[in-house]
Amino acid sequence: MLHNPAAIVNTPFPWDITLLGYQQLQSTNAVYLLNGSLLGWPDTLHYRYADGHFKRYALVQGDLDLLQVRMALDRKRVIGFGVSAHAYGWAYTSPVTVEDTVNSLRSFLNIQQERDFNGRLTSSGWIDIHATYAQTWIDNPVMRLNGGLTLKIMRGISGAFARIDELQVRQRTLSQGNVYQFPLFSAKYGYSSNYDQQVASNTYDFLNHSQGSIAADLGVEYLIKKQEPVNYYAPDSYYDYWWKIGISLLDIGHNRFRYGQQSRELYQVQNNVTDATVEQKLTGIRSLQQFNDSVQRLVVQMNSLNGMFSISNPTRLVIDVDHPMQGQFSFNASVTVPIAVFTHGATGMLKSNEWLMFTPRWEKKRLGIYLPLQYTVEQRFWIGLALRAGPLLAGIHHLPGLFSSRQVTQSGGYIAITIRPDRLTPAHRDKRLNCPGF
């Protein structure tokens, strides 16, 4: 189903069903692969951390549409419904220096150009059942205005976050020589309770311990019609337009989770703790419980987190413009703006990769070629390609990821199988034969 809920109105097919749709992407500047590509994965992947001093980020998105149904009640009223699953993750840090010679915490701290650090990580996975209603509000010879609303009933399957709000590192001279200490420190991390051992071992209990919530999409489409003389013998031009402008507010809502047993918040490192102490205590950690037991000996205060927390969906405002050109050529341009006003009270916030996109296309009824060019939210330029043949649509977000191991971490792909009726709309009768209305 299209992102803008109003977009399902101006579609000439009386119905369509997307049997399966999947898209995933990844984007990071922190690591890159030394072998492999989207065309072939080796048995063992080799990677390397990116050297240099800069802010680091990682973003992953995955969306699965199990069933999407669209049905036109008439030309001006359309409904849709479906089931989807989503998994999003996002992490970033303040500027950090990395070199391939780092082999200990001391060597890592020695090369840092800055001594104050912060960072965040948020991930969320959920399923939703959604229903859409859209209709034409205004229709005249010059323009048409459509509006739509999607309501979603969500189930938060997986939630986790970690954040370092403040970490100050200072070099000191003590009796044992030069050491690093941590005069300021505060951090918080949590995860959904269905990952606790006694629950995670049983699929039913895992799902039963998840929490429900609701979300919504809103959208309008403004169509400027072609001002051409009526051709009584041409196919029905009801769905034709000269310009189409869409405005939508997507993924308004939060997913709710209950804190897992090992969720914690930390304050202040003890005065006698040095970098050597930290490395000794945290070496050989194999579980979050072991990590908590070790960290408790390093900090002044550790608090358990109880109750509920929420992670906001990737709420965003999307404005897009579509314009047909000569022949079968058209283009679409869009801008996506993250909206933070709906994230108030959320423990973590997700974001979408889209920012600016321009997509020229050539398409007929059963064939289509698309060339999406996008400038992502992390200021990366991607060149994609998609092909449509009959019910199958397949594409890649960034073409170099097909061939280059270094570009695999800046790419992804998508596929959808959508069936539609053979005929668009019934052939229009000669309007001169219509009886005048009185």
Side-chain angles (χ1 to χ4, degrees):
M1 190 171 294
L2 300 173
H3 282 307
N4 188 336
I8 66 174
V9 178
N10 201 68
T11 301
F13 300 101
W15 58 267
D16 54 64
I17 301 175
T18 299
L19 300 176
L20 177 69
Y22 177 72
Q23 82 91 21
Q24 65 86 28
L25 64 84
Q26 58 278 337
S27 177
T28 181
N29 66 348
V31 298
Y32 59 89
L33 298 183
L34 299 176
N35 62 335
S37 69
L38 292 180
L39 289 179
W41 291 97
D43 293 335
T44 303
L45 284 175
H46 300 281
Y47 67 93
R48 177 175 293 173
Y49 292 104
D51 291 347
H53 176 77
F54 49 85
K55 295 180 179 179
R56 296 169 190 269
Y57 75 89
L59 185 149
V60 294
Q61 293 178 207
D63 300 280
L64 174 65
D65 294 328
L66 301 176
L67 181 66
Q68 306 287 332
V69 178
R70 172 194 163 276
M71 299 176 60
L73 304 179
D74 52 44
R75 282 182 165 182
K76 297 182 181 296
R77 299 177 302 147
V78 182
I79 61 173
F81 54 88
V83 179
S84 299
H86 312 272
Y88 281 62
W90 178 46
Y92 73 90
T93 71
S94 57
V96 176
T97 303
V98 173
E99 295 180 1
D100 58 9
T101 57
V102 171
N103 56 19
S104 67
L105 179 58
R106 173 70 60 87
S107 63
F108 174 76
L109 295 176
N110 282 339
I111 63 174
Q112 297 308 308
Q113 301 179 28
E114 300 182 34
R115 300 300 189 196
D116 297 314
F117 303 95
N118 62 76
R120 295 200 173 196
L121 178 150
T122 305
S123 72
S124 180
W126 69 97
I127 58 175
D128 66 62
I129 300 173
H130 50 267
T132 301
Y133 176 78
Q135 71 173 45
T136 298
W137 291 342
I138 302 173
D139 191 7
N140 59 47
V142 178
M143 52 77 69
R144 182 181 302 129
L145 180 64
N146 301 324
L149 167 67
T150 298
L151 293 178
K152 308 175 184 179
I153 300 175
M154 303 188 299
R155 195 78 177 179
I157 302 301
S158 170
F161 72 92
R163 70 184 193 223
I164 298 176
D165 297 316
E166 188 174 27
L167 173 59
Q168 192 177 86
V169 181
R170 295 294 182 265
Q171 191 172 31
R172 304 280 170 78
T173 302
L174 302 180
S175 57
Q176 62 265 44
N178 291 333
V179 299
Y180 289 100
Q181 291 190 306
F182 313 93
L184 292 177
F185 174 66
S186 64
K188 187 175 183 179
Y189 50 90
Y191 64 95
S192 52
S193 62
N194 49 0
Y195 279 106
D196 287 331
Q197 184 175 357
Q198 64 270 29
V199 174
S201 60
N202 185 292
T203 303
Y204 174 79
D205 285 342
F206 185 88
L207 296 176
N208 193 45
H209 280 72
S210 61
Q211 306 295 319
S213 55
I214 61 173
D217 299 336
L218 307 170
V220 295
E221 273 195 344
Y222 181 82
L223 289 82
I224 300 175
K225 299 181 180 181
K226 293 182 177 180
Q227 300 303 306
E228 298 176 344
V230 175
N231 183 345
Y232 295 105
Y233 301 99
D236 190 358
S237 61
Y238 178 84
Y239 295 98
D240 295 345
Y241 57 87
W242 187 235
W243 290 94
K244 181 171 66 175
I245 303 169
I247 302 175
S248 55
L249 192 58
L250 305 178
D251 284 324
I252 307 169
H254 302 71
N255 275 290
R256 299 168 63 249
F257 306 93
R258 187 174 299 279
Y259 276 113
Q261 296 175 358
Q262 302 299 323
S263 302
R264 299 288 188 269
E265 58 182 348
L266 313 174
Y267 296 100
Q268 206 65 31
V269 178
Q270 296 178 18
N271 292 332
N272 63 338
V273 171
T274 67
D275 59 293
T277 312
V278 172
E279 189 158 22
Q280 178 187 9
K281 293 292 185 183
L282 298 186
T283 299
I285 298 296
R286 295 189 176 184
S287 69
L288 185 54
Q289 183 174 355
Q290 290 181 2
F291 176 81
N292 286 340
D293 292 341
S294 297
V295 168
Q296 192 167 17
R297 300 183 178 93
L298 302 175
V299 299
V300 174
Q301 182 179 354
M302 171 184 279
N303 300 327
S304 296
L305 298 174
N306 302 301
M308 307 293 295
F309 70 96
S310 64
I311 295 178
S312 71
N313 291 348
T315 307
R316 58 207 183 274
L317 174 69
V318 180
I319 302 173
D320 68 277
V321 177
D322 198 273
H323 179 59
M325 297 181 288
Q326 291 191 0
Q328 308 299 324
F329 292 93
S330 304
F331 76 82
N332 180 277
S334 66
V335 57
T336 301
V337 182
I339 301 296
V341 66
F342 296 102
T343 65
H344 178 71
T347 306
M349 173 183 171
L350 298 174
K351 65 189 297 185
S352 178
N353 189 60
E354 296 86 2
W355 186 20
L356 303 175
M357 182 176 290
F358 179 80
T359 306
R361 66 184 187 272
W362 176 92
E363 58 182 352
K364 302 181 73 173
K365 182 180 177 181
R366 297 187 179 276
L367 294 173
I369 302 174
Y370 311 84
L371 186 66
L373 311 173
Q374 62 174 313
Y375 192 61
T376 73
V377 70
E378 298 295 349
Q379 302 179 22
R380 299 278 180 160
F381 182 65
W382 287 7
I383 302 174
L385 176 66
L387 303 174
R388 178 173 59 84
L392 178 65
L393 170 68
I396 184 170
H397 289 298
H398 189 40
L399 277 172
L402 277 176
F403 315 102
S404 169
S405 57
R406 292 185 68 104
Q407 292 294 327
V408 170
T409 54
Q410 294 286 339
S411 191
Y414 46 94
I415 187 171
I417 301 174
T418 303
I419 57 174
R420 301 181 175 93
D422 290 335
R423 302 186 66 184
L424 298 180
T425 53
H428 205 288
R429 297 181 300 129
D430 185 345
K431 294 182 180 180
R432 292 174 299 177
L433 302 180
N434 290 352
C435 296
F438 295 95

